[in-house]
Amino acid sequence: MKRTGNLIERIADCDNLHLAFIKSCRGKQCKAEVIRFRERYDDNIRSIRDALLAGNVAVGDYNYFTIHDPKERLICAASFRERVLHHAIMNVCHDIFDRSLIYDTYATRRGKGVYAALDRAVKGASRYRYMVKLDYRKYFDSIDHEILKRQLSRLFKDKGLLTLLASVVDSYSTVPGKGVPIGNLTSQYFANHYLSGLDHRMKECVRVPVYIRYMDDVLMMDDDRMRLRDAVGEMTGYSETELSLRLKTPVYRCCDNGMPFLGYVVRPHCLTLSGRSKRRFRKKIESCRVKYETGELGEGEYASHLLPLLAFVRHARCRKFRETCIVR
């Protein structure tokens, strides 16, 4: 793919920085750091622009916190100023990252997402006999900085942009030279692109009939179980030698028996909820109900908490389960 250059000026453009500010504000309008940034908006935007053009952007101002849903994760959130910077970069670079990906990669892409990946998986399960699910051990923590920077240099030729991206990559590590922070917009793009070479190999060289990837979760399908095992062997070898990654133990199933994937169970012609997702849904619904009844949540807030939960379960075949949880 032809490399792209002369992008720093587009990233530093005032209109692009304003758009980045608007995107960074979504859902955070009342946060203190957003209010402070807005109070000196012109000065802050000019400061980011000047730093970009001078090639001396400061990065690495992170806030750390731990979440426990669905499992314990250390989240690394950039300061608001850096979130504006990250959005400004990806406003310009999104299409370049996107062009490097195969059709069946579904994270961080317009018109894709979890539900598109699941719909594709259901269609595949309706056609093929066997499937295998794979994911990586500590994926975000294991991304190798030098490998990632080499990949980025094959996408971009703008030296200023490559220096900026390298500084973002190097601003965080779990062990020296490894890891990108969960929680940053740039990390989502880096982590998704990191496996793009593997995607092309599996589709274009190994020719897996169905290959679906959402970030580091992969689902492959075929009518021949041995071909699937060979494909897993190819994927394991490439991951270890070219990407310095380790796969978890693969899970094989007959398509008729269903496979847990992205919070659902993929079956021929339909999705159902996994047991884990049902337990999480019950817990969250009950928590929202208690907060509403005790006055901790107003009516509007209660509704805003319920809507995404209902959207999640409505995508699956689970009407009776949904009714038993919602109707007391």
Coordinates of all heavy atoms in Angstrom, one line a residue, residues 75-128:
I75 N -7.3 0.6 33.6 CA -7.6 1.6 32.5 C -6.6 2.8 32.6 O -6.4 3.3 33.7 CB -9.0 2.1 32.6 CG1 -10.0 0.9 32.6 CG2 -9.4 3.1 31.5 CD1 -9.9 0.1 31.3
C76 N -6.1 3.2 31.5 CA -5.2 4.3 31.5 C -5.8 5.4 30.6 O -5.8 5.3 29.4 CB -3.9 3.9 30.9 SG -2.6 5.2 30.7
A77 N -6.3 6.5 31.3 CA -7.1 7.5 30.5 C -6.2 8.7 30.4 O -5.6 9.2 31.3 CB -8.3 7.9 31.3
A78 N -6.1 9.2 29.1 CA -5.3 10.4 28.9 C -6.0 11.6 29.4 O -7.2 11.6 29.5 CB -5.1 10.5 27.4
S79 N -5.2 12.6 29.7 CA -5.8 13.9 30.1 C -6.7 14.5 29.0 O -6.5 14.0 27.8 CB -4.7 14.9 30.4 OG -3.9 15.2 29.3
F80 N -7.5 15.4 29.3 CA -8.4 16.0 28.3 C -7.6 16.6 27.1 O -8.0 16.4 25.9 CB -9.4 17.0 28.9 CG -10.4 17.5 27.8 CD1 -11.4 16.7 27.5 CD2 -10.2 18.7 27.2 CE1 -12.4 17.1 26.5 CE2 -11.1 19.2 26.3 CZ -12.2 18.4 25.9
R81 N -6.5 17.3 27.4 CA -5.7 17.9 26.3 C -5.2 16.8 25.4 O -5.2 17.0 24.2 CB -4.6 18.7 26.9 CG -3.7 19.4 25.9 CD -2.5 20.1 26.6 NE -1.7 20.8 25.6 CZ -0.8 20.3 24.9 NH1 -0.6 18.9 24.9 NH2 -0.1 21.0 24.0
E82 N -4.8 15.7 25.9 CA -4.3 14.6 25.1 C -5.4 13.9 24.3 O -5.2 13.4 23.2 CB -3.4 13.6 25.9 CG -2.1 14.2 26.3 CD -1.1 13.1 26.8 OE1 -1.2 12.0 26.3 OE2 -0.3 13.5 27.7
R83 N -6.6 13.9 24.9 CA -7.7 13.3 24.2 C -8.0 14.1 23.0 O -8.3 13.6 21.9 CB -8.9 13.1 25.1 CG -8.8 12.1 26.1 CD -10.2 11.6 26.6 NE -10.9 12.6 27.3 CZ -10.8 12.9 28.6 NH1 -10.0 12.2 29.4 NH2 -11.6 13.8 29.1
V84 N -7.9 15.4 23.1 CA -8.1 16.3 21.9 C -7.1 16.0 20.9 O -7.4 15.9 19.7 CB -8.1 17.8 22.3 CG1 -8.1 18.7 21.1 CG2 -9.2 18.1 23.3
L85 N -5.8 15.8 21.3 CA -4.7 15.5 20.4 C -5.0 14.2 19.7 O -4.8 14.1 18.5 CB -3.4 15.4 21.2 CG -2.2 14.9 20.4 CD1 -1.8 15.9 19.3 CD2 -1.0 14.7 21.4
H86 N -5.4 13.2 20.5 CA -5.6 11.8 19.9 C -6.8 11.9 18.8 O -6.7 11.3 17.8 CB -6.0 10.8 21.0 CG -4.8 10.5 21.9 ND1 -5.0 9.8 23.1 CD2 -3.5 10.9 21.9 CE1 -3.8 9.7 23.7 NE2 -2.9 10.4 23.0
H87 N -7.8 12.6 19.1 CA -8.9 12.7 18.2 C -8.5 13.5 16.9 O -8.8 13.1 15.8 CB -10.1 13.4 18.8 CG -11.0 12.5 19.6 ND1 -11.9 11.6 18.9 CD2 -11.2 12.3 20.9 CE1 -12.6 11.0 19.9 NE2 -12.2 11.4 21.1
A88 N -7.6 14.5 17.1 CA -7.1 15.3 16.0 C -6.3 14.4 15.1 O -6.4 14.4 13.8 CB -6.3 16.4 16.5
I89 N -5.5 13.5 15.7 CA -4.7 12.6 14.8 C -5.6 11.6 14.1 O -5.4 11.4 12.9 CB -3.7 11.8 15.8 CG1 -2.7 12.7 16.4 CG2 -3.0 10.7 15.0 CD1 -1.8 12.1 17.5
M90 N -6.5 11.0 14.8 CA -7.3 10.0 14.1 C -8.4 10.5 13.2 O -8.9 9.8 12.3 CB -8.0 9.1 15.2 CG -6.9 8.2 15.9 SD -5.8 7.4 14.7 CE -4.5 6.9 15.8
N91 N -8.8 11.8 13.4 CA -9.7 12.4 12.3 C -9.0 12.4 11.0 O -9.7 12.1 10.0 CB -9.9 13.9 12.7 CG -10.9 14.1 13.8 OD1 -11.6 13.2 14.3 ND2 -10.9 15.3 14.4
V92 N -7.7 12.6 10.9 CA -7.0 12.6 9.7 C -6.5 11.2 9.3 O -6.5 10.9 8.1 CB -5.8 13.6 9.8 CG1 -4.8 13.5 8.6 CG2 -6.2 15.0 10.0
C93 N -6.1 10.4 10.2 CA -5.5 9.1 9.9 C -6.4 7.9 9.9 O -6.0 6.8 9.4 CB -4.4 8.8 11.0 SG -3.0 10.0 11.0
H94 N -7.7 8.1 10.3 CA -8.7 7.0 10.3 C -8.7 6.3 9.0 O -8.6 5.0 9.0 CB -10.0 7.5 10.7 CG -11.1 6.5 10.6 ND1 -11.5 5.6 11.6 CD2 -11.9 6.1 9.5 CE1 -12.4 4.8 11.1 NE2 -12.7 5.1 9.9
D95 N -8.9 7.0 7.9 CA -9.1 6.3 6.6 C -7.8 5.6 6.2 O -8.0 4.5 5.5 CB -9.5 7.4 5.6 CG -10.9 7.9 5.8 OD1 -11.7 7.2 6.5 OD2 -11.2 8.9 5.2
I96 N -6.7 6.0 6.6 CA -5.4 5.4 6.2 C -5.3 4.1 6.9 O -5.0 3.0 6.3 CB -4.2 6.3 6.5 CG1 -4.4 7.6 5.7 CG2 -2.9 5.6 6.2 CD1 -3.5 8.7 6.1
F97 N -5.6 4.1 8.2 CA -5.7 2.8 9.0 C -6.7 1.9 8.4 O -6.5 0.7 8.2 CB -6.0 3.1 10.4 CG -4.8 3.5 11.3 CD1 -4.6 4.8 11.7 CD2 -3.9 2.6 11.7 CE1 -3.6 5.2 12.4 CE2 -2.8 2.9 12.5 CZ -2.6 4.3 12.9
D98 N -7.9 2.4 8.1 CA -9.0 1.6 7.6 C -8.6 0.9 6.3 O -9.0 -0.3 6.1 CB -10.2 2.5 7.4 CG -11.5 1.6 7.3 OD1 -11.9 1.0 8.4 OD2 -12.1 1.6 6.3
R99 N -8.0 1.6 5.4 CA -7.6 1.0 4.1 C -6.7 -0.2 4.2 O -6.6 -1.0 3.3 CB -7.0 2.1 3.2 CG -8.0 3.1 2.6 CD -7.4 3.8 1.4 NE -6.2 4.5 1.7 CZ -6.1 5.8 2.0 NH1 -7.2 6.5 2.2 NH2 -5.0 6.4 2.3
S100 N -6.0 -0.3 5.3 CA -5.0 -1.4 5.4 C -5.7 -2.7 5.9 O -5.0 -3.7 6.0 CB -3.9 -1.0 6.4 OG -4.4 -0.9 7.7
L101 N -6.9 -2.6 6.3 CA -7.6 -3.7 7.0 C -8.4 -4.5 6.0 O -8.9 -4.0 5.0 CB -8.5 -3.2 8.1 CG -7.8 -2.4 9.2 CD1 -8.9 -1.8 10.1 CD2 -6.9 -3.3 10.0
I102 N -8.6 -5.8 6.3 CA -9.5 -6.7 5.5 C -10.9 -6.3 5.8 O -11.2 -5.7 6.8 CB -9.2 -8.2 5.7 CG1 -9.5 -8.6 7.1 CG2 -7.8 -8.5 5.3 CD1 -9.5 -10.1 7.3
Y103 N -11.8 -6.8 5.0 CA -13.3 -6.6 5.2 C -13.7 -7.0 6.6 O -14.5 -6.4 7.3 CB -14.1 -7.2 4.1 CG -15.6 -7.0 4.2 CD1 -16.2 -5.9 3.7 CD2 -16.4 -7.9 5.0 CE1 -17.5 -5.7 3.8 CE2 -17.7 -7.7 5.1 CZ -18.3 -6.6 4.5 OH -19.7 -6.4 4.7
D104 N -13.3 -8.2 7.0 CA -13.8 -8.9 8.2 C -13.1 -8.6 9.5 O -13.0 -9.4 10.4 CB -13.9 -10.4 8.0 CG -15.1 -10.8 7.1 OD1 -16.2 -10.3 7.4 OD2 -15.0 -11.5 6.2
T105 N -12.6 -7.3 9.6 CA -12.1 -6.8 10.8 C -13.1 -5.7 11.3 O -13.4 -4.8 10.5 CB -10.7 -6.2 10.6 OG1 -9.8 -7.2 10.2 CG2 -10.1 -5.6 11.9
Y106 N -13.6 -5.8 12.5 CA -14.8 -5.1 12.8 C -14.6 -4.0 13.9 O -15.5 -3.2 14.1 CB -15.9 -6.0 13.2 CG -16.4 -6.8 12.1 CD1 -15.8 -8.0 11.7 CD2 -17.5 -6.3 11.4 CE1 -16.3 -8.7 10.6 CE2 -18.0 -7.0 10.3 CZ -17.4 -8.2 9.9 OH -17.8 -8.9 8.8
A107 N -13.5 -3.9 14.6 CA -13.3 -2.9 15.6 C -12.8 -1.5 15.0 O -12.1 -1.5 14.0 CB -12.3 -3.4 16.7
T108 N -13.2 -0.4 15.7 CA -12.8 0.9 15.3 C -13.0 1.3 13.9 O -12.3 2.0 13.3 CB -11.3 1.2 15.7 OG1 -10.5 0.5 14.7 CG2 -10.9 0.7 17.1
R109 N -14.1 0.8 13.3 CA -14.4 1.1 11.9 C -15.9 1.5 11.7 O -16.8 1.0 12.3 CB -14.2 -0.2 11.0 CG -12.8 -0.7 11.2 CD -12.6 -1.9 10.3 NE -12.4 -1.5 8.9 CZ -12.2 -2.4 7.9 NH1 -12.3 -3.7 8.2 NH2 -12.1 -2.0 6.7
R110 N -16.0 2.6 10.9 CA -17.4 3.1 10.6 C -18.2 2.0 9.9 O -17.6 1.4 8.9 CB -17.3 4.3 9.8 CG -16.6 5.5 10.5 CD -16.6 6.8 9.7 NE -15.8 7.8 10.2 CZ -14.6 8.2 9.7 NH1 -14.2 7.7 8.5 NH2 -13.9 9.1 10.3
G111 N -19.4 1.8 10.3 CA -20.3 0.8 9.6 C -20.0 -0.6 10.0 O -20.5 -1.6 9.4
K112 N -19.1 -0.8 10.9 CA -18.7 -2.2 11.4 C -19.2 -2.4 12.8 O -20.4 -2.2 13.1 CB -17.2 -2.4 11.3 CG -16.7 -2.3 9.9 CD -17.1 -3.5 9.0 CE -16.4 -3.5 7.7 NZ -16.7 -4.7 6.9
G113 N -18.4 -2.8 13.8 CA -18.7 -2.9 15.2 C -19.1 -4.3 15.6 O -19.1 -5.2 14.8
V114 N -19.5 -4.4 16.8 CA -19.8 -5.7 17.4 C -21.0 -6.4 16.7 O -20.9 -7.6 16.3 CB -20.1 -5.6 18.9 CG1 -20.7 -6.9 19.5 CG2 -18.9 -5.2 19.7
Y115 N -22.1 -5.7 16.5 CA -23.2 -6.4 15.9 C -23.0 -6.8 14.5 O -23.5 -7.8 14.0 CB -24.5 -5.4 16.0 CG -24.9 -5.2 17.5 CD1 -25.3 -3.9 17.9 CD2 -24.8 -6.2 18.4 CE1 -25.6 -3.7 19.2 CE2 -25.1 -5.9 19.7 CZ -25.5 -4.7 20.1 OH -25.9 -4.4 21.4
A116 N -22.2 -6.0 13.7 CA -21.9 -6.4 12.3 C -21.1 -7.7 12.4 O -21.3 -8.6 11.5 CB -21.2 -5.3 11.6
A117 N -20.1 -7.8 13.3 CA -19.3 -9.0 13.4 C -20.2 -10.2 13.8 O -20.0 -11.3 13.3 CB -18.2 -8.8 14.5
L118 N -21.1 -10.0 14.7 CA -22.0 -11.1 15.1 C -22.9 -11.5 14.0 O -23.1 -12.7 13.8 CB -22.8 -10.6 16.3 CG -22.0 -10.5 17.6 CD1 -22.8 -9.7 18.7 CD2 -21.6 -11.8 18.2
D119 N -23.4 -10.6 13.2 CA -24.3 -11.0 12.1 C -23.5 -11.8 11.1 O -24.0 -12.8 10.6 CB -24.8 -9.7 11.4 CG -25.9 -9.0 12.3 OD1 -26.4 -9.6 13.2 OD2 -26.2 -7.8 12.0
R120 N -22.3 -11.4 10.9 CA -21.4 -12.2 9.9 C -21.2 -13.6 10.5 O -21.1 -14.6 9.8 CB -20.1 -11.4 9.8 CG -19.2 -12.0 8.7 CD -19.6 -11.5 7.4 NE -18.5 -11.7 6.4 CZ -18.6 -11.5 5.1 NH1 -19.8 -11.1 4.6 NH2 -17.5 -11.6 4.3
A121 N -21.0 -13.7 11.8 CA -20.7 -15.0 12.4 C -21.9 -15.9 12.3 O -21.8 -17.1 12.1 CB -20.3 -14.8 13.9
V122 N -23.1 -15.3 12.5 CA -24.3 -16.2 12.4 C -24.5 -16.7 11.0 O -24.8 -17.9 10.8 CB -25.6 -15.3 12.9 CG1 -26.9 -16.1 12.5 CG2 -25.5 -15.1 14.4
K123 N -24.2 -15.9 10.0 CA -24.3 -16.4 8.6 C -23.3 -17.5 8.4 O -23.6 -18.5 7.7 CB -24.1 -15.2 7.7 CG -25.2 -14.2 7.7 CD -24.9 -13.0 6.7 CE -26.0 -12.0 6.7 NZ -25.7 -10.8 5.9
G124 N -22.1 -17.3 8.9 CA -21.1 -18.3 8.7 C -21.5 -19.6 9.4 O -21.3 -20.7 8.9
A125 N -22.0 -19.5 10.6 CA -22.4 -20.7 11.4 C -23.5 -21.5 10.7 O -23.7 -22.7 10.9 CB -22.8 -20.3 12.8
S126 N -24.3 -20.7 9.9 CA -25.4 -21.3 9.2 C -25.0 -22.1 8.0 O -25.7 -22.9 7.4 CB -26.4 -20.3 8.8 OG -26.9 -19.5 9.9
R127 N -23.7 -21.8 7.6 CA -23.2 -22.4 6.3 C -22.2 -23.5 6.6 O -22.1 -24.5 5.8 CB -22.6 -21.3 5.4 CG -22.1 -21.8 4.1 CD -21.6 -20.7 3.3 NE -21.0 -21.2 2.0 CZ -20.4 -20.4 1.1 NH1 -20.4 -19.1 1.3 NH2 -19.9 -20.9 0.0
Y128 N -21.3 -23.4 7.6 CA -20.2 -24.3 7.8 C -20.5 -25.2 9.1 O -21.3 -24.9 9.9 CB -18.9 -23.5 8.0 CG -18.5 -22.8 6.7 CD1 -18.9 -21.5 6.4 CD2 -17.8 -23.5 5.7 CE1 -18.6 -20.9 5.2 CE2 -17.5 -22.9 4.5 CZ -17.8 -21.6 4.3 OH -17.5 -21.1 3.1

